[in-house]
Amino acid sequence: MRAFVITVLLASPALASECPEAPDHSVRLAELVEEVRDAKNEMYAAPLNTQMWELWTDAPDARAQELLDRGMRQREGADYLGARDTLDELVAYCPEFAEGYNQRAFASFLRRDFDAALHDLNRALDIVPNHVAALSGKGLTLMGLGRAEEAQDALRGALALNP
């Protein structure tokens, strides 16, 4: 029995390999937050927001990137359960990659599973505290839960980072 368990553990791709550390974009993200705060208007802010998304969605390795991209495509195609399954796999593989949680939260939000979304958004924000999209999503999720005062605090926080 013991040999069987060891064989199963070693054969499992999720357990046999470890996700590398996510790229550290914290310095550039902090710079982009400052730049977007100083942007004259939305036209100047738009490319900065695009750059933020490029950093947030920069996965630790090719496997994580494929899972993230597939999960996002499924969500965009309204396959929310499929997206959840794919993003579950990503989060299991790369538990320190914030965007896995943020995207899984989005899929949960679209399914109106606000409790699951809030849990994932909190985890994403633990990893990347200035993740404006996760903070905005948290505000909308709290609204969905009927927690208006907390929602306003989260949305004010997001606006402070990205007016």
Side-chain angles (χ1 to χ4, degrees), residues 90-159:
L90 174 58
V91 166
Y93 175 59
C94 295
E96 297 303 315
F97 179 49
E99 197 57 31
Y101 295 97
N102 186 52
Q103 291 299 322
R104 189 170 71 176
F106 193 11
S108 294
F109 177 87
L110 292 170
R111 290 182 55 238
R112 303 187 57 78
D113 185 352
F114 300 127
D115 289 320
L118 183 60
H119 174 77
D120 280 343
L121 290 164
N122 285 332
R123 182 67 184 117
L125 290 164
D126 285 344
I127 299 168
V128 180
N130 66 348
H131 195 308
V132 178
L135 194 52
S136 299
K138 181 176 179 175
L140 296 173
T141 299
L142 288 164
M143 286 173 56
L145 288 167
R147 295 162 58 180
E149 194 168 312
E150 291 173 83
Q152 289 176 19
D153 288 342
L155 292 171
R156 280 198 269 301
L159 282 171

Side-chain angles (χ1 to χ4, degrees), residues 16-57:
S17 60
E18 291 185 24
C19 179
E21 192 171 317
D24 182 5
H25 297 301
S26 58
V27 171
R28 183 63 186 135
L29 280 167
E31 292 170 351
L32 286 167
V33 166
E34 288 302 315
E35 290 175 41
V36 81
R37 280 185 189 153
D38 295 337
K40 296 177 186 180
N41 57 41
E42 192 174 334
M43 183 181 81
Y44 289 97
L48 301 171
N49 288 322
T50 299
Q51 288 178 51
M52 283 186 214
W53 275 109
E54 289 170 357
L55 297 177
W56 290 326
T57 58

